[in-house]
Amino acid sequence: VVMTQSPLSLPVTLGQPASISCRSSQSLVHSDGNTYFHWFQQRPGQSPRRLIYKVSKRESGVPDSFSGSGSGTDFTLNISRVEADDVGVYYCMQNTHWPRTFGQGTKVEIK
Amino acid sequence: EVQLVESGGGLVQPGGSLRLSCAASGLSVSNFSMDWVRQAPGKGLECVSSISNSDKIYYADSVKGRFTISRDNAKNSLYLQMNSLRDEDTAMYYCARGSNWGQGTLVAVSS
């Protein structure tokens, strides 16, 4: 399954919203009814960290400024107000279909 | 608390071999699909090999025939045997399961 993110680079002003899109080459709805689509954040020098799982569920400790939405083949990560701590690369990932596959990554930086 | 700790990386000449290990705690490697994900310098995430809980195995085309994934349930560990290494295998290699990722082990292939 090919995952295509846009944009690949996202300069944002502090306090402003940001949005990243991800499209899959086939539906991510599993036969069990779940959609195993997730968002990861990778800060510079760190391992990836999962922010959002199953489209819209936030991991424990993730600020509510992050939200995920979408269905089928089209998904979006929104950051309502970008903070300095949000700088990094964001990846979408699916594991509805084995093996897991990632998007190319979107680099979020402060203008 | 789940912990995944990788080891075994290092500097190796082209054509050489390395064996990566991932020691797991807080989860049983036999019960889950486990992945080796790599990240070349400045690049995105690539799942190079996976092993399912039913022993189904996946290899990326770029490593097929050169890498072998395995696990030792008694040691609760995952392994990646890497042979015939090439310059393009230079990357940080992560052991991953769902939201759990290790800190990575760096493989550098250079003469």
Side-chain angles (χ1 to χ4, degrees), chain B residues 30-109:
Chain B
S30 62
N31 290 344
F32 298 99
S33 179
M34 302 289 297
D35 306 309
W36 285 101
V37 178
R38 73 181 178 187
Q39 186 171 39
K43 301 296 184 183
L45 301 171
E46 177 191 20
C47 180
V48 294
S49 187
S50 299
I51 183 166
S52 76
N53 56 350
S54 59
D55 291 333
K56 186 168 62 170
I57 287 177
Y58 161 82
Y59 296 106
D61 287 344
S62 55
V63 307
K64 206 170 288 184
R66 301 187 297 123
F67 289 12
T68 303
I69 192 171
S70 63
R71 62 177 167 221
D72 185 327
N73 296 337
K75 294 184 177 179
N76 206 27
S77 293
L78 180 73
Y79 304 99
L80 187 67
Q81 177 67 44
M82 305 188 297
N83 297 331
S84 304
L85 283 162
R86 305 168 179 168
D87 289 352
E88 56 265 34
D89 295 318
T90 293
M92 184 70 79
Y93 284 73
Y94 296 100
C95 170
R97 201 293 308 180
S99 63
N100 307 114
W101 291 60
Q103 83 290 348
T105 186
L106 184 61
V107 172
V109 184

Side-chain angles (χ1 to χ4, degrees), chain A residues 23-49:
Chain A
R23 177 167 290 177
S24 59
S25 60
Q26 55 186 279
S27 174
L28 298 185
V29 180
H30 194 274
S31 56
D32 65 7
N34 289 305
T35 299
Y36 295 100
F37 174 87
H38 323 284
W39 289 100
F40 284 79
Q41 175 195 61
Q42 188 177 31
R43 291 177 172 142
Q46 295 186 12
S47 300
R49 163 202 180 198

Side-chain angles (χ1 to χ4, degrees), chain A residues 41-61:
Chain A
Q41 175 195 61
Q42 188 177 31
R43 291 177 172 142
Q46 295 186 12
S47 300
R49 163 202 180 198
R50 194 169 71 180
L51 295 177
I52 303 282
Y53 65 99
K54 288 197 246 182
V55 182
S56 60
K57 301 179 189 302
R58 270 191 304 275
E59 292 282 356
S60 174

Side-chain angles (χ1 to χ4, degrees), chain A residues 9 19-20 25 29 31 34 36 43 51 54 61-62 68-71 76 88-89 92 94 96 99-100 102 110:
Chain A
S9 177
S19 183
I20 302 170
S25 60
V29 180
S31 56
N34 289 305
Y36 295 100
R43 291 177 172 142
L51 295 177
K54 288 197 246 182
V62 172
S69 62
S71 63
T76 303
V89 181
C92 60
Q94 70 81 28
T96 292
R100 68 163 92 193
F102 297 92
I110 305 300

